[in-house]
Amino acid sequence: MPEQAAQQRNRHTATAWQGRSILLDSQERLATLTVFLGLPLALATKSQSCAPLVLVTFDNSTIPQILGQWFYIAGASRYPPHLEVMKAVTFEAFSFSPGSYEDELNITEIIAQGMRCVVRNSSKVQVFQENSTLKHVDDNQVASVARLIQSDKDLLILNHINIDFKSQNLHSQDPCPTSRLALALELQ
C-alpha cells in the first residue's frame, strides 16, 4: 500500500513538472521576445525613426534562399482564428523543399500544442514571381497568401495579405536565434 501511494505521488509530481515546463517555455519565449524588441531602444545613441518595411522582390535567387527548415519565433495578428492558434502553439517548425514544378514548394509542418504534436506533409506553396507572393495551399484550399519582408538571411518574416486583418510571423533557421535576432534588430 505505501508503495502505491508513493508511485501515485511521483506521477502527480511528474505531471506538475510537465505543466510547469510548458508554462516556462511560454514565459521564456515572451521574456526573450521582450528583451529583443527592447534591446535596440536600450542600445540606441540617437533618436529612433521608424523605417518602412521593405518587401522582397522575387528573383532567381529568392526561392533557393528560403529552402530548408524554419522555426517559429513570434507572430502578431488581429485575425481571431490566427490568435487562437498562436496562443495554443508551444512549438512550430516547417521546411520548404522543391516541389514538382518550378513555381511550387513542398512544405512539411510540425506543430505542437500542449502535449499534442502534429506533422503534416500535404501542403504546397505556390510561388508567384510576377507579384512576389507565396500562396499556401492546404487540402486544395488557400490557407494564406504572404509576401516576404526583407531581413537578415537567417530570418524569414511573412506578411499575410489575403485577410482583412494584419498578420505577420517571424521565423528563424536557428531554433535558438537569440544572437542573430538581436543583431538583426540592432542593425535596423
Side-chain angles (χ1 to χ4, degrees):
M1 207 59 168
E3 289 177 20
Q4 288 177 340
Q7 287 176 347
Q8 189 173 8
R9 233 184 353 263
N10 288 341
R11 272 191 234 119
H12 288 301
T13 302
T15 304
W17 276 108
Q18 288 171 346
R20 287 185 184 124
S21 174
I22 292 169
L23 182 60
L24 284 177
D25 289 343
S26 299
Q27 290 174 340
E28 288 172 354
R29 187 183 297 165
L30 180 60
T32 302
L33 183 60
T34 303
V35 167
F36 290 126
L37 292 177
L39 188 61
L41 295 174
L43 297 175
T45 57
K46 58 183 176 183
S47 65
Q48 294 291 312
S49 64
C50 292
L53 298 175
V54 178
L55 297 173
V56 172
T57 302
F58 287 5
D59 59 25
N60 291 336
S61 69
T62 306
I63 299 308
Q65 290 175 9
I66 66 170
L67 293 177
Q69 189 165 19
W70 295 94
F71 297 91
Y72 175 80
I73 303 301
S77 179
R78 292 189 178 158
Y79 187 52
H82 286 181
L83 284 174
E84 289 177 32
V85 171
M86 284 181 200
K87 288 177 184 176
V89 168
T90 54
F91 173 84
E92 181 180 353
F94 65 87
S95 62
F96 286 131
S97 60
S100 303
Y101 304 99
E102 185 177 302
D103 61 348
E104 178 182 85
L105 299 173
N106 295 323
I107 184 169
T108 300
E109 301 172 274
I110 302 168
I111 302 169
Q113 294 180 330
M115 300 305 283
R116 190 174 136 240
C117 186
V118 176
V119 178
R120 296 188 322 187
N121 293 310
S122 61
S123 298
K124 302 281 184 195
V125 172
Q126 296 171 342
V127 179
F128 296 95
Q129 295 258 354
E130 63 275 5
N131 64 0
S132 298
T133 58
L134 301 171
K135 180 166 54 171
H136 182 192
V137 179
D138 193 12
D139 294 328
N140 293 323
Q141 293 188 336
V142 175
S144 67
V145 178
R147 304 238 8 223
L148 297 178
I149 295 176
Q150 193 170 2
S151 66
D152 184 79
K153 67 180 177 121
D154 294 331
L155 296 175
L156 178 69
I157 304 173
L158 295 173
N159 181 28
H160 299 276
I161 60 174
N162 66 319
I163 52 179
D164 293 334
F165 302 92
K166 294 182 188 257
S167 180
Q168 292 182 348
N169 293 329
L170 173 65
H171 305 272
S172 171
Q173 287 191 315
D174 182 348
C176 299
T178 54
S179 60
R180 287 191 185 128
L181 182 58
L183 179 61
L185 290 170
E186 186 177 317
L187 294 176
Q188 290 186 2

